[in-house]
Amino acid sequence: MRRILVAPLDWGLGHATRCMPVIREIQALGHVPVIAADGEAFNLLKDAFPTTEIIHLRGYRPVYPDDRGNMVWTMLWQSPAFIQRIFREHQALQTLIQKCALDAVISDNRYGLWSNKVPSVIITHQLFIKMPAFVKWMERPVRQLNRFFIEQFDECWVPDFADEENLSGALSHGQRLPCNTRFIGPLSRFADIQDDDAPHHVPDLLIVLSGPEPQRSLLEKEIIPEAASTGLNTLIIRGIPGKQERSQINDRIFCVCNMDSTQMFKTLKRAKFIVSRPGYTTIMDLAALGKKAIFIPTPGQTEQEYLAWRAEHTHVGVVQRQGNIHLQTALEKLKSIGSAPPPAQSLEYKSAIARFIDSLTR
């Protein structure tokens, strides 16, 4: 049995949830995943895999701006600390390889987790990082630095389709790819969940909140009166892991702090309308279920703004701007763009994992 480190980035929960099918597949092949995580990602994966070995590996721990700050400048200001963290986690990995008897590493967007001692893989869809217009001149050096780190790994797995019918668009297509790139199809935590006919509450409107504070709370404050104005039975998933509280705002609006993967699968699949952030993991999850959505990008997150624009351009979503949300208008527009797309699922990631582990044996 091979012992394989699986380590997601600690920016939000999307990197952790899309590692779930990777961890399950390693187990299904008879090998041993060792999870390394930090913060909320650590707690989420510990709950999801209670019998799996999990260790703390300090993440990048970004500081987000307040409601008056600028996301881009805040991230740029922290970039020297992020690069320092990359080199420190690279050094930490060399100790972990011996301490945990690791045979390989699969990193989700943690750029320091490569080694000359064991084979390593990085999972990322951001091969070509987009910068906002006012710092567009930085795009080329940022992409070159990104490429440098990606090419330190033996393989780069892009969780998307390689052809024109893809989910990430210009973030990972249309230019010269790193030499170690391999497209493995979308990664969704819902890939292996089977639906059943058990009774399940079905909201007309499902609102999934996520992302960094204070933007998550600002969106929650803005979206509640908009949801009330629609008159629809509404469920709000507040996106606060580790809490199980339920609350009721009025006779039509209910809130829960979080859901496990099976509950989330059933609720997303049955909801008539969905509102969420357009993080790439969410895009993959909705594509796996064949669902459209109203997308509200986190202010200042260029990647989310691009993915929201692309979803609207490909007729699988409608975009609203935080601070100027009009939910009734968005619902009418969502109805007008046609039927939901067919589910976009792929099992190619399973063959990629099997081939990678087989190469360890050889």
Side-chain angles (χ1 to χ4, degrees):
M1 293 190 296
R2 300 295 176 176
R3 292 172 55 82
I4 302 170
L5 189 76
V6 180
L9 187 67
D10 61 328
W11 290 22
L13 295 177
H15 297 281
T17 59
R18 74 186 191 187
C19 280
M20 289 180 178
V22 175
I23 295 167
R24 289 196 294 261
E25 187 60 21
I26 292 171
Q27 292 173 330
L29 292 171
H31 299 279
V32 181
V34 179
I35 302 170
D38 190 24
E40 292 180 346
F42 179 94
N43 296 328
L44 178 75
L45 292 172
K46 185 177 181 180
D47 290 341
F49 300 95
T51 62
T52 300
E53 182 180 353
I54 182 167
I55 58 177
H56 269 112
L57 181 59
R58 181 186 168 91
Y60 297 2
R61 300 183 183 179
V63 176
Y64 298 101
D66 60 24
D67 57 333
R68 297 180 300 276
N70 181 281
M71 179 71 77
V72 176
W73 286 123
T74 302
M75 292 298 110
L76 287 175
W77 175 74
Q78 295 175 85
S79 58
F82 295 153
I83 294 173
Q84 184 182 55
R85 186 71 246 156
I86 288 172
F87 285 104
R88 285 185 176 178
E89 72 180 9
H90 175 67
Q91 293 171 346
L93 175 62
Q94 313 316 311
T95 301
L96 283 177
I97 289 171
Q98 282 192 322
K99 182 178 178 181
C100 300
L102 301 176
D103 296 295
V105 178
I106 298 177
S107 161
D108 189 319
N109 274 77
R110 297 192 65 158
Y111 287 87
L113 296 185
W114 58 273
S115 175
N116 292 325
K117 297 179 180 179
V118 298
S120 60
V121 171
I122 185 167
I123 300 174
T124 183
H125 64 281
Q126 293 199 56
L127 302 183
F128 309 110
I129 295 172
K130 288 186 171 292
M131 302 295 288
F134 66 92
V135 286
K136 201 70 173 177
W137 59 272
M138 293 187 65
E139 194 166 86
R140 184 174 180 180
V142 167
R143 290 183 176 184
Q144 288 176 334
L145 181 62
N146 186 54
R147 188 186 188 97
F148 167 78
F149 283 120
I150 288 174
E151 291 185 338
Q152 303 311 304
F153 291 80
D154 294 283
E155 296 186 26
C156 171
W157 291 353
V158 179
D160 197 2
F161 302 107
D163 55 25
E164 293 183 1
E165 297 294 325
N166 61 72
L167 304 177
S168 60
L171 296 175
S172 56
H173 297 77
Q175 301 187 46
R176 187 173 65 89
L177 301 175
C179 59
N180 55 352
T181 301
R182 177 187 178 94
F183 288 88
I184 64 167
L187 285 173
S188 172
R189 57 174 161 164
F190 305 138
D192 293 328
I193 297 178
Q194 299 297 320
D195 201 2
D196 56 39
D197 297 325
H200 190 78
H201 172 69
V202 182
D204 294 323
L205 176 63
L206 174 65
I207 299 173
V208 183
L209 302 176
S210 63
E213 295 289 4
Q215 297 300 335
R216 192 211 63 82
S217 293
L218 292 172
L219 177 56
E220 180 176 349
K221 183 178 179 180
E222 184 179 3
I223 203 75
I224 287 175
E226 285 294 320
S229 71
T230 67
L232 296 172
N233 291 321
T234 301
L235 176 63
I236 299 175
I237 302 175
R238 299 183 65 216
I240 304 177
K243 294 186 177 181
Q244 303 299 324
E245 290 91 342
R246 300 177 63 92
S247 58
Q248 183 173 348
I249 294 174
N250 59 36
D251 60 345
R252 288 184 177 273
I253 302 178
F254 297 83
C255 296
V256 297
C257 284
N258 203 19
M259 283 186 176
D260 64 29
S261 294
T262 302
Q263 290 174 316
M264 183 70 84
F265 168 81
K266 292 180 179 180
T267 306
L268 281 170
K269 189 170 183 180
R270 290 165 170 78
K272 189 174 182 181
F273 302 108
I274 298 169
V275 178
S276 77
R277 297 291 196 193
Y280 187 62
T281 299
T282 300
I283 296 288
M284 290 192 292
D285 285 343
L286 293 175
L289 299 175
K291 303 291 287 190
K292 300 182 295 181
I294 297 167
F295 292 118
I296 305 173
T298 302
Q301 286 202 10
T302 312
E303 177 202 358
Q304 287 195 9
E305 291 170 352
Y306 170 74
L307 289 171
W309 169 85
R310 192 170 187 279
E312 191 167 65
H313 182 70
T314 55
H315 307 293
V316 295
V318 171
V319 182
Q320 292 267 285
R321 298 294 176 187
Q322 188 170 318
N324 190 30
I325 298 172
H326 194 280
L327 206 50
Q328 191 63 54
T329 301
L331 290 169
E332 293 301 322
K333 189 173 181 180
L334 191 67
K335 295 175 188 175
S336 71
I337 64 176
S339 58
Q345 294 189 9
S346 171
L347 298 180
E348 192 172 347
Y349 75 92
K350 294 190 175 188
S351 61
I353 294 170
R355 180 194 55 80
F356 178 65
I357 295 178
D358 184 56
S359 71
L360 304 179
T361 305
R362 293 200 304 268

